[in-house]
Amino acid sequence: MKTAEETLEKPGTDQSEKTVMAFINALNDEDFKAAREQLADRMKFDGVMGSRESAEAYIGDMKHMKFKYKVKKVFADGDDVCLFYDIDMGDATIFTCGWYQVEDGKIASLKVVFDPRPLLEKKDKK
């Protein structure tokens, strides 16, 4: 059984979740200016297929790729927000987990994991 302290919500949880969801909704709407507003300037992205060291570099990629996100589940713990989502990458839809870390109301870090085999198989066939 959890203690009273363990059941209390950590500070930042609601706002951090809202920040991340505003970011995802903006990407889905292809409103890259609104998406960029949710990111810290020095936002760091780490993914299966690469990494980026700034918000500008990451948004530049998103403008080109125009992925669509269908959120399946949201977990929030303080300034850490985790999403399970299907990402429509055009040629394939990939189930993905994204771990967002929010600092001062902005996404400072994003780490994503997924099985890249469907993408690699399509690449090999070309």
Side-chain angles (χ1 to χ4, degrees):
M1 181 164 226
K2 289 185 179 181
T3 66
E5 291 81 20
E6 291 173 323
T7 60
L8 292 176
E9 216 173 84
K10 289 189 177 182
T13 297
D14 285 344
Q15 188 55 49
S16 295
E17 185 176 331
K18 287 177 185 174
T19 298
V20 171
M21 292 310 299
F23 174 71
I24 292 297
N25 291 332
L27 289 177
N28 279 340
D29 293 341
E30 297 183 18
D31 185 347
F32 300 107
K33 182 176 184 241
R36 172 61 181 90
E37 290 171 0
Q38 305 306 315
L39 302 177
D41 292 341
R42 295 183 182 190
M43 178 259 199
K44 183 172 167 76
F45 168 79
D46 286 311
V48 175
M49 308 293 276
S51 62
R52 295 291 176 267
E53 295 288 333
S54 73
E56 293 303 322
Y58 181 80
I59 288 295
D61 287 346
M62 295 300 99
K63 286 178 181 177
H64 175 72
M65 293 185 275
K66 298 182 181 178
F67 292 160
K68 300 297 181 208
Y69 302 81
K70 183 175 181 185
V71 175
K72 302 290 188 177
K73 184 71 177 170
V74 179
F75 303 92
D77 182 23
D79 287 329
D80 292 316
V81 179
C82 179
L83 301 181
F84 286 158
Y85 38 41
D86 286 331
I87 302 178
D88 180 346
M89 298 182 176
D91 291 339
T93 298
I94 307 292
F95 180 74
T96 304
C97 178
W99 175 20
Y100 298 78
Q101 293 180 298
V102 178
E103 295 175 5
D104 299 321
K106 303 279 185 179
I107 297 168
S109 173
L110 167 58
K111 294 182 181 184
V112 298
V113 292
F114 61 88
D115 179 358
R117 287 178 294 183
L119 298 174
L120 298 175
E121 289 165 2
K122 288 186 181 283
K123 186 177 179 182
D124 288 342
K125 289 180 182 179
K126 288 184 178 181

PDB file of all heavy atoms in Angstrom, residues 3 20-21 27 38 43 45 52 55 58 68 86 92 101-102 107 110 114 116 121:
ATOM      1  N   THR A   3       1.997   5.144   0.708  1.00  0.00           N
ATOM      2  CA  THR A   3       1.809   6.142   1.758  1.00  0.00           C
ATOM      3  C   THR A   3       1.157   7.377   1.150  1.00  0.00           C
ATOM      4  O   THR A   3       1.112   7.539  -0.076  1.00  0.00           O
ATOM      5  CB  THR A   3       3.161   6.546   2.386  1.00  0.00           C
ATOM      6  OG1 THR A   3       3.926   7.219   1.391  1.00  0.00           O
ATOM      7  CG2 THR A   3       3.903   5.338   2.918  1.00  0.00           C
ATOM      8  N   VAL A  20       3.900  19.009 -23.281  1.00  0.00           N
ATOM      9  CA  VAL A  20       4.198  17.934 -24.233  1.00  0.00           C
ATOM     10  C   VAL A  20       3.031  17.723 -25.196  1.00  0.00           C
ATOM     11  O   VAL A  20       3.234  17.585 -26.412  1.00  0.00           O
ATOM     12  CB  VAL A  20       4.565  16.627 -23.484  1.00  0.00           C
ATOM     13  CG1 VAL A  20       4.649  15.453 -24.449  1.00  0.00           C
ATOM     14  CG2 VAL A  20       5.885  16.811 -22.737  1.00  0.00           C
ATOM     15  N   MET A  21       1.822  17.730 -24.683  1.00  0.00           N
ATOM     16  CA  MET A  21       0.667  17.513 -25.568  1.00  0.00           C
ATOM     17  C   MET A  21       0.466  18.687 -26.519  1.00  0.00           C
ATOM     18  O   MET A  21       0.069  18.495 -27.671  1.00  0.00           O
ATOM     19  CB  MET A  21      -0.584  17.226 -24.742  1.00  0.00           C
ATOM     20  CG  MET A  21      -0.530  15.884 -24.009  1.00  0.00           C
ATOM     21  SD  MET A  21      -0.078  14.468 -25.078  1.00  0.00           S
ATOM     22  CE  MET A  21      -1.426  14.487 -26.261  1.00  0.00           C
ATOM     23  N   LEU A  27       2.656  19.584 -33.839  1.00  0.00           N
ATOM     24  CA  LEU A  27       3.284  18.793 -34.899  1.00  0.00           C
ATOM     25  C   LEU A  27       2.226  18.158 -35.794  1.00  0.00           C
ATOM     26  O   LEU A  27       2.355  18.173 -37.028  1.00  0.00           O
ATOM     27  CB  LEU A  27       4.192  17.710 -34.313  1.00  0.00           C
ATOM     28  CG  LEU A  27       5.481  18.182 -33.656  1.00  0.00           C
ATOM     29  CD1 LEU A  27       6.229  16.991 -33.048  1.00  0.00           C
ATOM     30  CD2 LEU A  27       6.368  18.927 -34.632  1.00  0.00           C
ATOM     31  N   GLN A  38       7.349  25.266 -27.692  1.00  0.00           N
ATOM     32  CA  GLN A  38       7.324  24.340 -26.564  1.00  0.00           C
ATOM     33  C   GLN A  38       8.711  23.790 -26.229  1.00  0.00           C
ATOM     34  O   GLN A  38       8.876  23.068 -25.241  1.00  0.00           O
ATOM     35  CB  GLN A  38       6.365  23.175 -26.848  1.00  0.00           C
ATOM     36  CG  GLN A  38       4.956  23.581 -27.199  1.00  0.00           C
ATOM     37  CD  GLN A  38       4.314  24.496 -26.187  1.00  0.00           C
ATOM     38  OE1 GLN A  38       4.406  24.263 -24.980  1.00  0.00           O
ATOM     39  NE2 GLN A  38       3.675  25.554 -26.653  1.00  0.00           N
ATOM     40  N   MET A  43      17.378  22.160 -26.548  1.00  0.00           N
ATOM     41  CA  MET A  43      16.709  20.870 -26.482  1.00  0.00           C
ATOM     42  C   MET A  43      17.588  19.799 -27.124  1.00  0.00           C
ATOM     43  O   MET A  43      18.210  20.031 -28.148  1.00  0.00           O
ATOM     44  CB  MET A  43      15.368  20.968 -27.226  1.00  0.00           C
ATOM     45  CG  MET A  43      14.597  19.684 -27.280  1.00  0.00           C
ATOM     46  SD  MET A  43      14.804  18.897 -28.878  1.00  0.00           S
ATOM     47  CE  MET A  43      13.406  17.813 -28.871  1.00  0.00           C
ATOM     48  N   PHE A  45      17.703  15.863 -28.547  1.00  0.00           N
ATOM     49  CA  PHE A  45      16.924  14.729 -29.027  1.00  0.00           C
ATOM     50  C   PHE A  45      17.851  13.541 -29.218  1.00  0.00           C
ATOM     51  O   PHE A  45      18.906  13.662 -29.856  1.00  0.00           O
ATOM     52  CB  PHE A  45      16.247  15.066 -30.364  1.00  0.00           C
ATOM     53  CG  PHE A  45      15.669  13.866 -31.047  1.00  0.00           C
ATOM     54  CD1 PHE A  45      14.455  13.332 -30.649  1.00  0.00           C
ATOM     55  CD2 PHE A  45      16.354  13.242 -32.089  1.00  0.00           C
ATOM     56  CE1 PHE A  45      13.923  12.215 -31.272  1.00  0.00           C
ATOM     57  CE2 PHE A  45      15.830  12.124 -32.720  1.00  0.00           C
ATOM     58  CZ  PHE A  45      14.619  11.611 -32.305  1.00  0.00           C
ATOM     59  N   ARG A  52      19.939  15.077 -32.234  1.00  0.00           N
ATOM     60  CA  ARG A  52      20.029  16.495 -32.560  1.00  0.00           C
ATOM     61  C   ARG A  52      20.364  17.239 -31.274  1.00  0.00           C
ATOM     62  O   ARG A  52      19.955  16.826 -30.188  1.00  0.00           O
ATOM     63  CB  ARG A  52      18.714  17.041 -33.138  1.00  0.00           C
ATOM     64  CG  ARG A  52      18.320  16.437 -34.465  1.00  0.00           C
ATOM     65  CD  ARG A  52      19.275  16.878 -35.576  1.00  0.00           C
ATOM     66  NE  ARG A  52      18.984  16.247 -36.835  1.00  0.00           N
ATOM     67  CZ  ARG A  52      19.540  15.119 -37.287  1.00  0.00           C
ATOM     68  NH1 ARG A  52      20.410  14.479 -36.548  1.00  0.00           N
ATOM     69  NH2 ARG A  52      19.241  14.635 -38.463  1.00  0.00           N
ATOM     70  N   ALA A  55      16.893  22.872 -30.599  1.00  0.00           N
ATOM     71  CA  ALA A  55      15.486  22.920 -31.001  1.00  0.00           C
ATOM     72  C   ALA A  55      15.358  23.237 -32.491  1.00  0.00           C
ATOM     73  O   ALA A  55      14.519  22.656 -33.182  1.00  0.00           O
ATOM     74  CB  ALA A  55      14.738  23.955 -30.167  1.00  0.00           C
ATOM     75  N   TYR A  58      16.062  20.142 -34.579  1.00  0.00           N
ATOM     76  CA  TYR A  58      14.973  19.174 -34.453  1.00  0.00           C
ATOM     77  C   TYR A  58      13.742  19.630 -35.245  1.00  0.00           C
ATOM     78  O   TYR A  58      13.164  18.851 -36.002  1.00  0.00           O
ATOM     79  CB  TYR A  58      14.616  18.962 -32.973  1.00  0.00           C
ATOM     80  CG  TYR A  58      13.525  17.949 -32.788  1.00  0.00           C
ATOM     81  CD1 TYR A  58      13.798  16.594 -32.844  1.00  0.00           C
ATOM     82  CD2 TYR A  58      12.210  18.352 -32.576  1.00  0.00           C
ATOM     83  CE1 TYR A  58      12.786  15.657 -32.694  1.00  0.00           C
ATOM     84  CE2 TYR A  58      11.201  17.424 -32.431  1.00  0.00           C
ATOM     85  CZ  TYR A  58      11.495  16.078 -32.489  1.00  0.00           C
ATOM     86  OH  TYR A  58      10.492  15.156 -32.359  1.00  0.00           O
ATOM     87  N   LYS A  68       2.975  12.169 -38.160  1.00  0.00           N
ATOM     88  CA  LYS A  68       1.698  12.319 -37.460  1.00  0.00           C
ATOM     89  C   LYS A  68       1.698  11.355 -36.279  1.00  0.00           C
ATOM     90  O   LYS A  68       2.118  10.206 -36.400  1.00  0.00           O
ATOM     91  CB  LYS A  68       0.511  12.011 -38.375  1.00  0.00           C
ATOM     92  CG  LYS A  68       0.449  12.919 -39.599  1.00  0.00           C
ATOM     93  CD  LYS A  68       0.249  14.362 -39.229  1.00  0.00           C
ATOM     94  CE  LYS A  68       0.172  15.229 -40.463  1.00  0.00           C
ATOM     95  NZ  LYS A  68       0.618  16.573 -40.265  1.00  0.00           N
ATOM     96  N   ASP A  86       1.648   5.806 -31.824  1.00  0.00           N
ATOM     97  CA  ASP A  86       1.922   5.343 -33.173  1.00  0.00           C
ATOM     98  C   ASP A  86       2.361   6.570 -33.955  1.00  0.00           C
ATOM     99  O   ASP A  86       1.684   7.598 -33.932  1.00  0.00           O
ATOM    100  CB  ASP A  86       0.672   4.748 -33.836  1.00  0.00           C
ATOM    101  CG  ASP A  86       0.315   3.381 -33.291  1.00  0.00           C
ATOM    102  OD1 ASP A  86       1.222   2.654 -32.846  1.00  0.00           O
ATOM    103  OD2 ASP A  86      -0.880   3.027 -33.321  1.00  0.00           O
ATOM    104  N   ALA A  92       5.450   3.924 -43.256  1.00  0.00           N
ATOM    105  CA  ALA A  92       5.224   2.962 -42.176  1.00  0.00           C
ATOM    106  C   ALA A  92       4.674   3.692 -40.961  1.00  0.00           C
ATOM    107  O   ALA A  92       4.950   4.874 -40.747  1.00  0.00           O
ATOM    108  CB  ALA A  92       6.528   2.261 -41.803  1.00  0.00           C
ATOM    109  N   GLN A 101      11.520  15.363 -21.116  1.00  0.00           N
ATOM    110  CA  GLN A 101      11.880  15.991 -19.852  1.00  0.00           C
ATOM    111  C   GLN A 101      11.672  17.491 -20.015  1.00  0.00           C
ATOM    112  O   GLN A 101      12.223  18.105 -20.938  1.00  0.00           O
ATOM    113  CB  GLN A 101      13.318  15.666 -19.477  1.00  0.00           C
ATOM    114  CG  GLN A 101      13.470  14.172 -19.165  1.00  0.00           C
ATOM    115  CD  GLN A 101      14.882  13.806 -18.778  1.00  0.00           C
ATOM    116  OE1 GLN A 101      15.799  13.968 -19.560  1.00  0.00           O
ATOM    117  NE2 GLN A 101      15.034  13.331 -17.558  1.00  0.00           N
ATOM    118  N   VAL A 102      10.855  18.043 -19.135  1.00  0.00           N
ATOM    119  CA  VAL A 102      10.467  19.449 -19.211  1.00  0.00           C
ATOM    120  C   VAL A 102      11.210  20.227 -18.129  1.00  0.00           C
ATOM    121  O   VAL A 102      11.276  19.790 -16.977  1.00  0.00           O
ATOM    122  CB  VAL A 102       8.936  19.596 -19.044  1.00  0.00           C
ATOM    123  CG1 VAL A 102       8.523  21.059 -19.079  1.00  0.00           C
ATOM    124  CG2 VAL A 102       8.211  18.794 -20.115  1.00  0.00           C
ATOM    125  N   ILE A 107      10.268  21.809 -23.238  1.00  0.00           N
ATOM    126  CA  ILE A 107      10.836  20.473 -23.423  1.00  0.00           C
ATOM    127  C   ILE A 107      12.343  20.633 -23.619  1.00  0.00           C
ATOM    128  O   ILE A 107      12.789  21.263 -24.579  1.00  0.00           O
ATOM    129  CB  ILE A 107      10.196  19.761 -24.622  1.00  0.00           C
ATOM    130  CG1 ILE A 107       8.698  19.560 -24.373  1.00  0.00           C
ATOM    131  CG2 ILE A 107      10.901  18.427 -24.886  1.00  0.00           C
ATOM    132  CD1 ILE A 107       7.911  19.131 -25.603  1.00  0.00           C
ATOM    133  N   LEU A 110      14.289  14.917 -25.288  1.00  0.00           N
ATOM    134  CA  LEU A 110      13.383  13.895 -25.813  1.00  0.00           C
ATOM    135  C   LEU A 110      14.208  12.688 -26.213  1.00  0.00           C
ATOM    136  O   LEU A 110      15.168  12.818 -26.978  1.00  0.00           O
ATOM    137  CB  LEU A 110      12.602  14.411 -27.025  1.00  0.00           C
ATOM    138  CG  LEU A 110      11.846  13.377 -27.861  1.00  0.00           C
ATOM    139  CD1 LEU A 110      10.845  12.595 -27.025  1.00  0.00           C
ATOM    140  CD2 LEU A 110      11.171  14.045 -29.050  1.00  0.00           C
ATOM    141  N   PHE A 114      12.071   2.699 -30.492  1.00  0.00           N
ATOM    142  CA  PHE A 114      11.135   1.917 -31.300  1.00  0.00           C
ATOM    143  C   PHE A 114      11.923   0.849 -32.034  1.00  0.00           C
ATOM    144  O   PHE A 114      13.153   0.887 -32.094  1.00  0.00           O
ATOM    145  CB  PHE A 114      10.349   2.798 -32.286  1.00  0.00           C
ATOM    146  CG  PHE A 114      11.205   3.531 -33.290  1.00  0.00           C
ATOM    147  CD1 PHE A 114      11.560   2.941 -34.495  1.00  0.00           C
ATOM    148  CD2 PHE A 114      11.631   4.824 -33.032  1.00  0.00           C
ATOM    149  CE1 PHE A 114      12.335   3.618 -35.418  1.00  0.00           C
ATOM    150  CE2 PHE A 114      12.400   5.513 -33.948  1.00  0.00           C
ATOM    151  CZ  PHE A 114      12.756   4.908 -35.152  1.00  0.00           C
ATOM    152  N   PRO A 116      13.232  -0.399 -35.262  1.00  0.00           N
ATOM    153  CA  PRO A 116      13.446   0.212 -36.573  1.00  0.00           C
ATOM    154  C   PRO A 116      13.344  -0.757 -37.751  1.00  0.00           C
ATOM    155  O   PRO A 116      13.448  -0.340 -38.897  1.00  0.00           O
ATOM    156  CB  PRO A 116      14.867   0.763 -36.461  1.00  0.00           C
ATOM    157  CG  PRO A 116      15.545  -0.211 -35.561  1.00  0.00           C
ATOM    158  CD  PRO A 116      14.492  -0.610 -34.548  1.00  0.00           C
ATOM    159  N   GLU A 121      13.822  -2.447 -43.409  1.00  0.00           N
ATOM    160  CA  GLU A 121      13.395  -3.380 -44.460  1.00  0.00           C
ATOM    161  C   GLU A 121      12.932  -2.632 -45.703  1.00  0.00           C
ATOM    162  O   GLU A 121      13.249  -3.009 -46.820  1.00  0.00           O
ATOM    163  CB  GLU A 121      12.288  -4.284 -43.934  1.00  0.00           C
ATOM    164  CG  GLU A 121      12.788  -5.299 -42.913  1.00  0.00           C
ATOM    165  CD  GLU A 121      11.676  -5.964 -42.114  1.00  0.00           C
ATOM    166  OE1 GLU A 121      10.471  -5.679 -42.371  1.00  0.00           O
ATOM    167  OE2 GLU A 121      12.011  -6.778 -41.239  1.00  0.00           O
TER     168      GLU A 121
END
